[in-house]
Amino acid sequence: MQMLSDIEIAQSAPFIPIATLANSLGLAEHEYEPYGRDKAKVTLDTARPLKGKLVLVTATSGTPSGSGKTTVSIALAQGLKQLGESAALALREPSLGPCFGMKGGAAGGGYAQLLPMEAINLHFTGDFHAITSANNLIAAMLDNVRHHGEVDLAEVYWRRVVDINDRALRHIVTGLGGPAHGIPSDTGFDITAASEIMAVLCLASDEADLRQRLDSLLLGLRHDGTPFYGRDLRITGALMALLKEAVKPNLVQSLEGNAAFVHGGPFANIAHGCNALSATRAALSCADWAITEAGFGADLGAEKFFNIKCRQSGLAPAVTVLVTSLKALKWHGGVELADCSRPDRAALTAGLPNLYRHLDNLVAFGQKVVVALNRFADDGDDEIAVVKAACLGAGAAGFAICEGFAKGGAGAQDLASAVMAVADDTAAVRYSYPSDASLCEKLETLTRKLYGGTGIALSAEAEADLQRLQKLGLDRLPVCVAKTPYSFSHDPALRGAPTGFVLPIARLLPNAGAGFVVAMAGNVLRMPGLPRSPQAYHIEVNNGCISGLA
């Protein structure tokens, strides 16, 4: 029997009216605002007690087809619910870039999805549009004050953004056509997920904190080397107005009725990769278990979750789930993606060092780790047994097969039981580096201890960036490494668990409002391009019904 597509499953599923769902969480009418029948904006008191245990879901290193973290996260919440536990989700919002590009949507899959799937993957409640508008208002106002001679900047850091993959916008020149059209400038677009406004929104603890972060955005440098901050542009109030609704977490539900707070969407390879702090707190305040995920592999999203989000917020997971699959391990064992479904014990064994390194890194963060094997229909029991034995022999606190895609919560009950068995909400996060270490010391530590490299090499531009950051007093901020998700290194061809490499740092970009410095490693791009056959080719609308949205 042919399985229904993700969108067919979502469109045929019943949903709980949003007011009923909100009331079941104990929300008063003034604490949520319905956006139609199936989603709402939530406004919760920041002093609301956090009663739940936090579960972080991360993964082994990425593959071109993804890892299944969101599907496993949703399945885990549904599995906990089936076991009689109250479990809510705190997840990122999908970007239109992957939706129309290569990877597809990010609302889970199969019978472990969020509803309304189409709305979440497309415009949702308009958060990404508000973030894009706020980002680009800054760019327009910055050009305007330069055009009118109010400020003369030697260097402009701020770039425009759009929530579509568009390689042609990576490097552009604005202000052409004469003085009436502005000052000619070499610049470009990033994708909205990489905007510092996205990071600021996701890390802000309340309205006052958001305002302070917007004021602290480092937009450029004057000719005398002094900084030009967001506050100097005098539009913080306008930005706050644009973001007034976007700062509120979005409440939706899983296929099986779990509450899901979906808010913010920074990518983990080019940004910090975690959903909004307000959404995580909302889930923790409304349920006994709060399931969140961090993007791509544990070397990216989870590292930033601990060293940036937990450090800024004081949160700490009670348990971390490390998602892997036979396909992912074989791919990191050297097999090409098209052949990863075939039995191949040698490739599987060759890929296990990738899992071992991620497991060791998570334990070093002070985590109890449950490995979740995301099972596919053609996975063999004998190969699964190899992975289970390897995990338990390498120090995992638990191991479980997850069949949430095919079976929903019923396919994740073993994982839910394993999580409950080892969770410890008294455990503290062990950060990778002290907060007062220098940027180079932080990068050296991550490269040697987490990635397996021998050190870092700064480009001439990065050396100049570092000197500027030192003069500005920003050289002790946490570091947010932007690099490929397909390798521990900067080189996507180095799969598995490479060693002996030097991590090249091309730029050190200040994100003073977000509270970190972005280290661009290798040739990573902050504006993706479209593949030869993008998902956009397969999406259609017939009689008002969307099809082909993956």
Side-chain angles (χ1 to χ4, degrees):
M1 181 178 175
Q2 185 176 3
M3 187 171 178
L4 298 174
S5 69
D6 290 350
I7 195 166
E8 288 172 332
I9 293 170
Q11 289 172 341
S12 64
F15 67 88
I16 303 169
I18 197 65
T20 303
L21 180 67
N23 292 337
S24 73
L25 300 174
L27 301 184
E29 285 191 11
H30 70 275
E31 293 180 309
Y32 69 94
E33 179 183 353
Y35 274 48
R37 298 174 297 165
D38 49 15
K39 50 192 174 293
K41 282 286 188 181
V42 174
T43 305
L44 300 180
D45 190 334
T46 55
R48 189 183 177 100
L50 307 182
K51 66 177 183 178
K53 294 183 177 70
L54 183 61
V55 180
L56 173 66
V57 179
T58 183
T60 51
S61 294
T63 75
S65 60
S67 303
K69 289 187 307 299
T70 305
T71 299
V72 171
S73 299
I74 297 167
L76 172 57
Q78 294 180 161
L80 286 164
K81 186 171 185 283
Q82 289 201 7
L83 295 178
E85 301 287 316
S86 73
L89 290 144
L91 302 175
R92 290 175 297 160
E93 299 178 52
S95 162
L96 293 179
C99 283
F100 295 123
M102 180 173 67
K103 194 176 177 183
Y111 290 92
Q113 291 191 64
L114 299 181
L115 301 176
M117 180 264 215
E118 306 103 302
I120 294 169
N121 277 316
L122 297 176
H123 301 287
F124 204 16
T125 58
D127 294 347
F128 271 54
H129 300 294
I131 291 164
T132 300
S133 297
N135 185 104
N136 294 344
L137 175 61
I138 293 174
M141 292 294 292
L142 198 54
D143 285 344
N144 188 58
V145 295
R146 294 171 66 214
H147 172 72
H148 288 291
E150 295 176 42
V151 63
D152 187 12
L153 298 180
E155 185 168 2
V156 176
Y157 290 130
W158 201 257
R159 289 161 60 92
R160 289 168 169 82
V161 298
V162 64
D163 192 34
I164 291 290
N165 294 358
D166 193 344
R167 62 173 56 83
L169 294 178
R170 290 171 183 160
H171 304 286
I172 63 171
V173 179
T174 58
L176 297 178
H181 303 289
I183 300 173
S185 303
D186 289 317
T187 183
F189 278 72
D190 297 330
I191 195 164
T192 298
S195 168
E196 189 177 354
I197 298 293
M198 176 70 79
V200 161
L201 180 139
C202 287
L203 290 168
S205 57
D206 54 29
E207 182 179 302
D209 187 35
L210 176 63
R211 184 182 297 276
Q212 187 276 327
R213 289 174 182 271
L214 293 173
D215 277 343
S216 300
L217 298 171
L218 180 57
L219 305 181
L221 297 176
R222 298 180 179 89
H223 284 278
D224 63 0
T226 57
F228 188 81
Y229 286 111
R231 67 178 72 93
D232 299 320
L233 202 53
R234 308 189 309 278
I235 61 166
T236 300
L239 298 175
M240 294 288 289
L242 278 173
L243 298 172
K244 177 178 176 292
E245 298 302 316
V247 297
K248 302 173 184 177
N250 306 293
L251 174 62
V252 291
Q253 64 193 274
S254 77
L255 279 171
E256 297 181 15
N258 294 83
F261 297 92
V262 181
H263 195 212
F267 292 167
N269 59 330
I270 53 178
H272 77 285
C274 305
N275 64 266
L277 173 61
S278 57
T280 307
R281 291 188 181 279
L284 284 166
S285 73
C286 292
D288 294 331
W289 297 91
I291 317 300
T292 192
E293 57 92 28
F296 288 116
D299 57 319
L300 286 167
E303 181 271 313
K304 296 164 187 176
F305 181 88
F306 293 122
N307 284 322
I308 295 176
K309 183 172 180 175
C310 290
R311 191 190 296 267
Q312 290 194 19
S313 67
L315 296 176
V319 59
T320 292
V321 174
L322 178 63
V323 177
T324 193
S325 68
L326 298 185
K327 290 183 178 182
L329 294 174
K330 291 174 187 176
W331 192 76
H332 280 282
V335 173
E336 293 311 306
L337 198 62
D339 298 321
C340 286
S341 297
R342 300 173 183 173
D344 191 331
R345 183 73 66 88
L348 180 64
T349 302
L352 284 172
N354 184 271
L355 185 150
Y356 294 151
R357 185 175 293 171
H358 284 293
L359 181 56
D360 289 345
N361 289 344
L362 291 170
V363 171
F365 279 114
Q367 299 303 293
K368 290 189 175 181
V369 183
V370 173
V371 176
L373 189 131
N374 188 19
R375 183 166 194 169
F376 289 78
D378 47 11
D379 288 351
D381 291 339
D382 57 334
E383 291 189 333
I384 292 175
V386 170
V387 178
K388 179 178 181 179
C391 292
L392 297 179
F399 175 91
I401 298 168
C402 182
E403 297 181 272
F405 183 91
K407 300 179 181 178
Q413 288 189 14
D414 288 347
L415 175 58
S417 296
V419 165
M420 289 192 292
V422 304
D424 178 8
D425 59 359
T426 65
V429 173
R430 294 199 293 264
Y431 304 123
S432 299
Y433 47 75
S435 59
D436 60 351
S438 71
L439 277 176
C440 286
E441 288 171 338
K442 289 167 181 171
L443 284 166
E444 289 276 359
T445 297
L446 293 179
T447 300
R448 295 176 187 274
K449 291 187 176 181
L450 267 72
Y451 305 156
T454 58
I456 63 170
L458 300 186
S459 70
E461 282 189 295
E463 290 279 10
D465 290 337
L466 179 60
Q467 292 179 17
R468 283 191 289 268
L469 291 169
Q470 289 169 340
K471 291 179 181 177
L472 294 169
L474 301 176
D475 60 315
R476 303 281 167 171
L477 291 175
V479 65
C480 178
V481 178
K483 70 177 188 68
T484 177
Y486 301 134
S487 173
F488 277 104
S489 76
H490 60 287
D491 183 353
L494 298 179
R495 302 186 213 167
T499 58
F501 60 89
V502 174
L503 190 72
I505 304 300
R507 295 295 307 270
L508 293 169
L509 305 176
N511 277 205
F516 53 72
V517 171
V518 177
M520 303 290 288
N523 297 318
V524 67
L525 300 169
R526 287 161 66 90
M527 168 56 82
L530 290 167
R532 183 177 295 275
S533 181
Q535 290 287 337
Y537 286 150
H538 310 294
I539 299 171
E540 187 54 88
V541 177
N542 291 294
N543 298 317
C545 186
I546 298 174
S547 62
L549 188 61

